[in-house]
């Protein structure tokens, strides 16, 4: 396919209010707390007041011992430098990544779009590659109403007659030109003049590419309904899109597709965006919608593991057509039953006395769809949401959650659902530790849970080589059994692949991290980081202020993850009395940040 390029504004829409169903993350798969009805509001969230904490004497000692006092001309300068330094890990992590961004029709038709596009331009100059897929249904419906026509939907799709197709082409073209115009301005000359280089003052801010990247086919007549010029995604021209991205462009991908017979077809925006994210191998899919996802207490749900999101959608399948379509598209089996594998490849070898089972992972192939494990392919390129169910919001943001879970199952590890009515929401989500939206993740804490007595053999098999090597302290079966409630394990395909322990010292408001171990076949894949992050959030949710550890061989690993060396005097008295001084361990501590991740402590740690 050839790809064309172009350049150019948009009206207003006020966000709707809605209800929805979800749940907060629980650590145990079997203790997921599900509520029959959770409220999903679309007004802007106000930041929750954080109670001021007085640092303990130990925290002050750490800060005085390890930090160098810096002087600043003003408090504003100090805050600016601090923020920039804290953002560095995220800048480093996101640079070179490819993000597919869906901007819902409601946000496209609102005054919030300008700020979102400015932030996308800023992030583009930091090295993030963007494909933007704008929603058009609000403008199409408005144009039809102005011309005396009623919009027609059946299920998730619009019925595109000749009037609807004309409106769709006008809306898509107008939105594309408007976005190109808003992405064109560069930074203020007043701000960059003092740095001397005048050669770039009059350059266009961001180069934008758009074109016929989308091959489509007619949806045709389905169950007696003629969908007219409504299209389904056939294939995404990934090679030409990557050429534009490699050339420093932001790609705007319209929902208009082109058939092999030369027709223009009106495709579903979410089907286009999800197919694009899967085909191009996006690092993230970001959905900017017109409201936040809140729990029953009106608090933002920051995080949903794929297993939980999948469960929530399945439980709504009888009352939601979109949820039912999701179940049909991904299969009947629940992820909690089959044990979901992320996209990381694992060496299959003997583990805990049994061979790892070879369960099927769905594979997406651009232009063909998903295989189902028996040589047949579903042909499903993306996941369409829309129609009266979405417009009415009777099921809140369930449809967006279904699209997020579909993409996660196909290999995109992180999907973010963001409230576009909050100023700077994209920056807050990407550069704050706990974000500002709802993240659905296929790989975070995959298979992680509290240990049970039946896990003893698996834990022992993982830690035994490290005990023999002298990295870990030897523990008898009796000692392990006594401490089993303090262990966290990571399970894959029914086998324990990693473990860690968190011993609590509530009197001192701190906890000891111990016994982090990963089976040899799974090392180097980030499992240790997942476990440590899980333990840190667990400790923070229990009200602990600090973590400490003793180590002889792994200090560098922990230092890179924010731990600082301390003296033995800073270890809680109860633990210090039991230290084997002959090992000459080093002592490290880490201050925990207040937890607002949406992850809750379960009964095992209370």
């Amino acid at each position: 396919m050839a790809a064309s390029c172009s350049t150019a504004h948009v009206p207003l829409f006020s966000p709707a209010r809605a209800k929805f169903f979800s749940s907060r993350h629980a650590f145990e798969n079997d203790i997921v707390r599900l509520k029959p009805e959770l409220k999903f509001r679309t007004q802007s969230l106000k930041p929750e007041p954080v109670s001021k904490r007085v640092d303990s004497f130990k925290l002050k000692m750490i800060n005085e011992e390890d930090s160098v006092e810096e002087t600043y001309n003003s408090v504003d300068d100090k805050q600016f430098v601090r923020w920039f330094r804290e953002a560095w890990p995220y800048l480093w992590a996101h640079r070179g990544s490819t993000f597919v961004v869906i901007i819902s029709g409601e946000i496209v038709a609102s005054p919030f779009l300008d700020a979102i596009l400015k932030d996308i331009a800023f992030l583009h100059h930091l090295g993030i590659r963007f494909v933007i897929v704008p929603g058009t249904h609000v403008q199409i419906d408005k144009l039809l109403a102005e011309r005396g026509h009623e919009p027609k939907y059946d299920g998730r799709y619009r019925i595109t007659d000749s009037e609807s197709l004309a409106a769709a082409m006008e809306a898509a073209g107008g939105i594309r030109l408007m976005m190109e115009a808003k992405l064109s301005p560069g930074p203020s000359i007043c701000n960059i003049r003092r740095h001397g280089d005048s050669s770039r003052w009059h350059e266009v801010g961001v180069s934008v590419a758009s074109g016929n990247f989308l091959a489509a086919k007619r949806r045709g007549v389905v169950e007696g309904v003629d969908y007219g010029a409504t299209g389904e995604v056939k294939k995404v021209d990934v090679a030409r899109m990557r050429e534009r991205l490699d050339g420093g462009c932001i790609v705007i991908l319209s929902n208009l597709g082109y058939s092999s017979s030369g027709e223009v077809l009106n495709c579903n925006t979410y089907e286009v965006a999800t197919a694009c994210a899967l085909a191009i191998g996006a690092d993230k899919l970001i959905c900017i919608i017109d409201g936040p996802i809140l729990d029953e207490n009106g608090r933002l749900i920051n995080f949903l593991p794929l297993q939980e999101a999948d469960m929530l959608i399945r439980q709504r399948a009888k009352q939601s057509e979109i949820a039912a379509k999701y179940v049909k598209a991904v299969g009947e089996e629940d992820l909690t039953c089959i044990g979901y594998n992320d996209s990381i490849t694992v060496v299959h070898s003997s583990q805990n006395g049994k061979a790892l089972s070879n369960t099927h992972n769905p594979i997406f192939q651009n232009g063909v769809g998903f295989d189902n494990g028996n040589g047949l392919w579903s042909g499903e390129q993306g996941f369409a949401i829309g129609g009266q169910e979405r417009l009415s919001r009777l099921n809140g943001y369930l449809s967006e959650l279904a699209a997020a879970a579909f993409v996660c199952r196909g290999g995109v590890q992180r999907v973010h659902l963001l409230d576009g009515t909050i100023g700077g929401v994209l920056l807050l989500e990407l550069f704050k530790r706990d974000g500002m939206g709802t993240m659905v993740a296929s790989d975070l804490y995959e298979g992680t849970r509290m240990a049970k007595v039946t896990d003893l053999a698996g834990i022992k098999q993982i830690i035994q080589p490290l005990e023999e090597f002298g990295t870990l302290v030897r523990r008898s079966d009796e000692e392990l059994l006594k401490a089993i409630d303090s262990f966290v394990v990571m399970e894959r395909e029914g086998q324990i692949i990693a473990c860690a322990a968190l011993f609590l010292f509530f009197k001192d408001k701190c906890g000891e991290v111990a016994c982090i171990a990963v089976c040899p076949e799974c090392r180097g894949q980030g499992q240790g980081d997942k476990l440590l992050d899980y333990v840190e959030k667990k400790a923070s949710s229990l009200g602990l202020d600090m973590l400490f550890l003793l180590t002889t061989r792994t200090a560098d690993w922990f230092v890179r993850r924010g731990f600082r060396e301390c003296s033995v005097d800073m270890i809680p008295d109860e633990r210090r009395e039991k230290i084997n001084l002959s090992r000459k361990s080093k002592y490290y501590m880490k201050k925990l940040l207040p937890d607002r991740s949406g992850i809750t402590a379960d009964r095992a740690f209370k």
Side-chain angles (χ1 to χ4, degrees):
M1 287 187 197
S4 58
C5 292
S6 318
T7 19
H9 234 20
V10 101
L12 292 136
F13 181 83
S14 69
R17 302 193 172 211
K19 288 186 179 179
F20 179 25
F21 173 80
S22 182
S23 105
R24 282 177 292 168
H25 177 64
F27 277 79
E28 294 254 12
N29 288 338
D30 56 342
I31 326 177
V32 176
R33 301 169 181 83
L34 300 178
K35 307 293 181 185
E37 185 179 20
L38 300 183
K39 296 178 182 177
F40 282 64
R41 304 175 188 167
T42 57
Q43 67 266 27
S44 297
L45 288 177
K46 294 181 180 178
E48 294 178 13
V50 180
S51 59
K52 295 181 180 178
R53 293 185 179 180
V54 179
D55 285 344
S56 67
F57 175 65
K58 289 182 179 178
L59 293 185
K60 288 180 180 176
M61 284 183 63
I62 290 179
N63 293 335
E64 290 170 4
E65 188 175 82
D66 296 326
S67 62
V68 177
E69 188 65 31
E70 292 181 308
T71 57
Y72 296 88
N73 291 330
S74 69
V75 174
D76 286 346
D77 287 351
K78 183 177 181 179
Q79 290 176 338
F80 178 81
V81 171
R82 180 183 175 186
W83 178 87
F84 224 74
R85 287 172 177 167
E86 287 177 352
W88 177 79
Y90 303 102
L91 294 169
W92 178 82
H94 297 321
R95 185 173 180 81
S97 297
T98 300
F99 296 171
V100 174
V101 181
I102 307 172
I103 306 179
S104 73
E106 291 83 2
I107 294 296
V108 169
S110 78
F112 303 111
L113 180 66
D114 289 20
I116 290 168
L117 292 178
K118 284 181 181 178
D119 290 344
I120 287 175
F122 167 64
L123 293 169
H124 166 77
H125 287 297
L126 291 178
I128 299 174
R129 296 144 57 97
F130 282 98
V131 178
I132 303 174
V133 187
T136 59
H137 74 273
V138 172
Q139 286 88 341
I140 294 172
D141 288 352
K142 183 180 177 182
L143 287 169
L144 287 172
E146 289 172 354
R147 295 165 187 177
H149 299 286
E150 284 284 327
K152 301 170 190 172
Y153 294 94
D154 187 82
R156 299 176 291 166
Y157 292 91
R158 182 188 295 276
I159 296 174
T160 309
D161 53 21
S162 57
E163 291 84 7
S164 298
L165 182 60
M169 293 169 68
E170 184 176 337
I175 289 169
R176 192 201 75 226
L177 291 171
M178 174 272 298
M179 284 188 163
E180 290 176 350
K182 290 183 182 298
L183 288 167
S184 293
S188 168
I189 290 177
C190 297
N191 293 338
I192 61 174
R193 184 186 289 123
R194 69 186 297 267
H195 295 286
D197 183 9
S198 61
S199 62
R200 302 179 63 192
W201 283 6
H202 304 293
E203 288 183 7
V204 170
V206 175
S207 295
V208 180
S210 58
N212 57 340
F213 299 122
L214 192 66
K217 61 182 180 180
R218 277 183 176 263
R219 181 162 172 76
V221 179
V222 181
E223 297 179 354
V225 178
D226 186 351
Y227 286 88
T230 297
E232 291 181 342
V233 177
K234 188 176 179 183
K235 190 172 184 179
V236 180
D237 194 343
V238 170
R240 292 184 184 276
M241 288 176 67
R242 284 192 178 133
E243 283 177 12
R244 305 304 191 275
L245 293 170
D246 292 342
C249 292
I250 287 178
V251 172
I252 295 179
L253 181 61
S254 164
N255 69 306
L256 296 180
Y258 303 91
S259 75
S260 55
S261 59
E263 293 178 294
V264 177
L265 299 175
N266 178 38
C267 299
N268 181 279
T269 300
Y270 270 81
E271 183 176 343
V272 170
T274 52
C276 175
L278 291 167
I280 207 166
D283 296 282
K284 292 181 185 290
L285 173 65
I286 299 174
C287 307
I288 302 180
I289 54 181
D290 62 338
I293 297 179
L294 309 177
D295 66 17
E296 73 280 8
N297 297 313
R299 290 182 302 225
L300 180 70
I301 298 173
N302 292 74
F303 168 66
L304 280 171
L306 174 58
Q307 292 92 331
E308 188 172 328
D310 181 83
M311 189 190 312
L312 297 176
I313 298 161
R314 289 176 187 278
Q315 291 189 340
R316 287 298 197 207
K318 290 184 179 178
Q319 64 193 74
S320 163
E321 182 189 356
I322 290 175
K325 292 292 185 184
Y326 166 84
V327 173
K328 184 178 179 181
V330 302
E332 296 294 330
E333 276 194 297
D334 181 320
L335 286 178
T336 57
C337 299
I338 61 175
Y340 182 75
N341 289 331
D342 63 16
S343 61
I344 296 170
T345 301
V346 181
V347 177
H348 293 273
S349 64
S350 178
Q351 184 70 2
N352 298 348
K354 293 187 285 184
L356 293 175
S357 60
N358 192 19
T359 57
H360 171 65
N361 250 349
I363 299 169
F364 177 80
Q365 185 173 320
N366 186 24
V368 181
F370 287 94
D371 72 328
N372 59 11
N374 61 8
L376 300 176
W377 292 75
S378 70
E380 197 86 37
Q381 297 298 303
F383 189 78
I385 70 172
Q388 290 302 330
E389 180 181 337
R390 182 182 179 277
L391 292 174
S392 68
R393 288 296 182 207
L394 290 174
N395 290 302
Y397 294 101
L398 182 67
S399 51
E400 284 82 356
L401 186 63
F406 178 89
V407 168
C408 272
R409 290 188 66 135
V412 177
Q413 292 188 347
R414 308 284 164 84
V415 180
H416 302 257
L417 303 171
L418 309 183
D419 177 6
T421 68
I422 297 175
V425 68
L426 193 54
L427 302 180
L428 292 169
E429 178 70 7
L430 294 176
F431 296 109
K432 277 184 67 180
R433 188 190 66 143
D434 293 324
M436 187 51 82
T438 300
M439 179 175 75
V440 180
S442 64
D443 64 327
L444 203 60
Y445 309 137
E446 164 236 1
T448 306
R449 58 172 174 79
M450 298 307 303
K452 300 177 288 189
V453 174
T454 52
D455 298 321
L456 189 62
I459 293 172
K460 189 174 179 181
Q461 185 166 343
I462 291 173
I463 66 175
Q464 201 166 30
L466 297 173
E467 289 177 344
E468 292 171 358
F469 197 61
T471 304
L472 294 178
V473 176
R474 287 186 181 275
R475 291 173 172 82
S476 66
D477 288 356
E478 291 74 23
E479 287 173 322
L480 281 175
L481 189 60
K482 188 177 179 181
I484 197 71
D485 288 341
S486 298
F487 272 82
V488 174
V489 296
M490 186 172 285
E491 184 179 30
R492 179 181 287 162
E493 300 176 8
Q495 312 303 319
I496 305 302
I497 63 168
C499 67
L502 173 61
F503 299 106
L504 305 173
F505 298 86
F506 282 114
K507 181 181 175 182
D508 298 271
K509 298 193 77 175
C510 63
E512 179 184 7
V513 180
C515 214
I516 293 185
V518 180
C519 72
E521 294 88 353
C522 299
R523 289 175 192 163
Q525 299 173 0
Q527 311 302 346
D529 281 299
K530 292 177 190 177
L531 272 176
L532 180 60
D533 191 53
Y534 185 99
V535 166
E536 287 181 7
K537 283 187 167 58
K538 169 73 81 173
S540 184
S541 70
L542 291 168
L544 304 186
D545 290 336
M546 284 198 305
L547 291 178
F548 70 90
L549 59 91
L550 285 67
T551 183
T552 56
R553 307 290 298 273
T554 57
D556 289 349
W557 192 88
F558 286 103
V559 167
R560 195 168 179 203
R561 285 148 182 84
F563 284 81
R564 295 184 176 187
E565 190 170 0
C566 65
S567 69
V568 68
D569 296 330
M570 299 176 73
I571 305 300
D573 295 339
E574 182 184 347
R575 177 67 178 93
R576 193 164 62 240
E577 292 170 359
K578 300 176 182 177
I579 293 176
N580 179 0
L581 297 176
S582 66
R583 279 179 60 84
K584 297 186 178 180
S585 299
K586 300 289 185 180
Y587 311 102
Y588 288 83
M589 300 194 87
K590 180 177 182 178
K591 181 180 177 181
L592 295 171
L593 297 173
D595 181 64
R596 289 184 287 276
S597 66
I599 299 175
T600 57
D602 58 54
R603 287 188 290 267
F605 267 74
K606 289 185 177 177

